[in-house]
Amino acid sequence: MTITITGMRKRFGPTEVLRGIDLTVEKGELVALLGPSGSGKTTLLKIIAGLDWPDMGGLDVDGVNWLNLPAQDRRIGFVFQHYALFPHMKVRDNIAFGLTVRPRSQRPGRGVIAARVDELLHLLQIAHLGDRYPAQLSGGQRQRVALGRALAIEPTVLLLDEPFGALDAAIRRDLRNWLREVHGATGSTSIFVTHDQEEAFELADRVVIMGQGQIEQIGSADQIHDRPATPFVANFMGATVEIPVTMRAGRIEAAGIDATRLERRVLPDGPATLFLRPDDITPIADTQGCWTIETVASTGATLRIALKDGAGNRVETVLPRRAPEAAGLTPGTRTHLRPEAGSVFPGPRPATTPAPAAQAPAKENIR
Ligand SMILES: Nc1ncnc2c1ncn2[C@@H]1O[C@H](COP(=O)(O)OP(=O)(O)O)[C@@H](O)[C@H]1O
Ligand SMILES: [Mg+2]
């Protein structure tokens, strides 16, 4: 099934939750929707599932206008973060549920249902758990059963809303690999929602970055990492250090910044803002430099170095403790900064963005 979303808008009271979404998900594709909490991911999934309706825009699936199609006719498989399995039903009955509640005329025979459940138990690697009750399962096993229940109806589209969000990191990683395999085996068109970058990039070939009801960028991990399309994406991908610079003939200029390792950009001359990840900034000892080291903290593998310039701007950098450049960097040392990579966007830093000194809370806001 190919899903085509066009010009989709949705507001709840004064809040515009979707502000014009255009997205096509190809047949058999696994797309991840990645964005901070409140960016409208769940709202978009609910509209696709038929649990909510947009104010404007189109939802076309293989040429059919789904906005005119009731939820039960869309055949959606939906897995939520906290998927309530029926506690009084065995695993196999939970998985069979969507088939057994069909009207008699559409319901497969008992033997067919049993065979389908066996097949899924095998695919989900929980064949030995078929006769257990949900309370006798771990969190990871329960999410496998939830996925089995979603897959049993042979969904046209599989929607997963932070399905591993409640599980711990090691189990999430396991389930991620396993989900890729299951997706490959079933070939379903799937949309996976997460606010976890690593999860999105590992799972999906294409990642859709959402921020405040809008798609900010669509691309692969490398594209989004190396070429963020907007300041929002740069920030979301960890470029939390923002330095005001001046563009001149495609070169980035700023006092105390050695920009020789950054590529030339096709940007107009004038003010711009450089976005950097703390681990892409090397402080270089320099008696003429305008940055002074305030603190140096070691985690064993890395040094976290906080610096301040004469104007009161602060930046934090992270570098390998054994890097040659790290030698001799101690509080009070004067340096200049050498960015190893970064993105630059035209214009001064937006007034709404806090200065570098207040960067830490800003980063939390968008996670
Ligand atoms: N039924 C609702 N009524 C009012 N506001 C809602 C409703 N559902 C979601 N919202 C608001 O819409 C915004 C986006 O929510 P949501 O789609 O759940 O985002 P996400 O899944 O990305 O965290 C949030 O600000 C949320 O408070
Ligand atoms: Mg959500």
Side-chain angles (χ1 to χ4, degrees):
M1 296 282 164
T2 301
I3 308 168
T4 309
I5 297 163
T6 44
M8 189 168 283
R9 291 179 172 272
K10 171 78 180 175
R11 57 166 67 237
F12 289 111
T15 323
E16 213 173 6
V17 174
L18 299 179
R19 300 190 293 159
I21 301 286
D22 292 289
L23 175 66
T24 299
V25 181
E26 303 292 343
K27 182 176 161 46
E29 201 179 11
L30 173 62
V31 159
L33 280 187
L34 172 66
S37 173
S39 54
K41 306 180 299 292
T42 295
T43 303
L44 187 59
L45 281 204
K46 280 186 170 171
I47 291 173
I48 297 171
L51 305 173
D52 209 335
W53 273 263
D55 302 324
M56 231 192 269
L59 172 61
D60 175 295
V61 179
D62 276 2
V64 176
N65 175 7
W66 265 22
L67 296 178
N68 289 336
L69 204 63
Q72 64 269 24
D73 295 340
R74 297 187 193 185
R75 271 233 215 160
I76 295 281
F78 210 139
V79 183
F80 301 94
Q81 180 172 344
H82 298 285
Y83 196 92
L85 297 174
F86 298 114
H88 59 287
M89 283 187 194
K90 289 180 176 173
V91 163
R92 45 174 67 253
D93 299 326
N94 265 287
I95 292 177
F97 181 78
L99 297 173
T100 51
V101 296
R102 282 199 185 152
R104 182 164 297 228
S105 61
Q106 294 164 34
R107 195 186 314 154
R110 273 166 175 264
V112 175
I113 293 180
R116 174 104 192 102
V117 170
D118 280 338
E119 194 186 314
L120 281 166
L121 285 170
H122 186 75
L123 177 73
L124 303 172
Q125 297 161 13
I126 46 173
H128 56 299
L129 302 176
D131 290 319
R132 294 222 190 146
Y133 289 93
Q136 299 169 310
L137 304 178
S138 69
Q141 289 168 339
R142 274 184 221 155
Q143 278 311 64
R144 288 174 195 237
V145 177
L147 190 64
R149 184 148 98 173
L151 289 171
I153 59 161
E154 298 182 309
T156 51
V157 172
L158 185 61
L159 303 175
L160 304 125
D161 194 356
E162 313 222 13
F164 309 145
L167 306 170
D168 66 41
I171 294 170
R172 290 173 75 123
R173 208 163 304 124
D174 254 16
L175 286 180
R176 220 182 276 166
N177 295 333
W178 163 84
L179 180 66
R180 261 214 85 92
E181 282 170 32
V182 171
H183 180 263
T186 59
S188 58
T189 304
S190 310
I191 304 180
F192 184 95
V193 163
T194 179
H195 62 267
D196 179 327
Q197 284 178 28
E198 193 184 296
E199 190 160 274
F201 290 120
E202 259 187 51
L203 254 172
D205 302 317
R206 269 198 322 153
V207 171
V208 176
I209 309 268
M210 276 187 72
Q212 297 199 341
Q214 272 178 326
I215 292 178
E216 297 274 337
Q217 187 167 5
I218 301 178
S220 67
D222 293 355
Q223 285 164 345
I224 291 170
H225 192 271
D226 293 349
R227 296 244 161 249
T230 63
F232 173 89
V233 177
N235 216 275
F236 186 66
M237 295 301 294
T240 51
V241 175
E242 298 176 25
I243 297 177
V245 299
T246 303
M247 294 303 300
R248 203 157 287 142
R251 293 227 73 104
I252 295 159
E253 295 180 1
I257 305 287
D258 167 8
T260 50
R261 299 211 167 170
L262 302 178
E263 307 163 31
R264 277 173 181 273
R265 307 300 163 110
V266 189
L267 279 183
D269 284 0
T273 306
L274 180 60
F275 287 73
L276 303 169
R277 289 186 194 90
D279 48 2
D280 284 336
I281 306 171
T282 312
I284 307 285
D286 173 358
T287 52
Q288 305 299 308
C290 56
W291 293 91
T292 305
I293 295 181
E294 289 202 296
T295 58
V296 179
S298 174
T299 66
T302 61
L303 293 180
R304 191 170 283 275
I305 301 176
L307 302 104
K308 194 167 97 171
D309 76 358
N313 292 311
R314 287 190 155 84
V315 305
E316 193 172 73
T317 74
V318 175
L319 79 166
R321 187 164 61 93
R322 297 219 168 81
E325 290 88 351
L329 295 182
T330 50
T333 307
R334 292 183 68 135
T335 75
H336 65 259
L337 303 179
R338 188 182 68 201
E340 311 298 333
S343 340
V344 63
F345 294 95
R349 183 194 306 130
T352 52
T353 315
Q359 207 53 62
K363 188 176 168 189
E364 274 173 21
N365 278 342
I366 61 155
R367 294 223 169 214

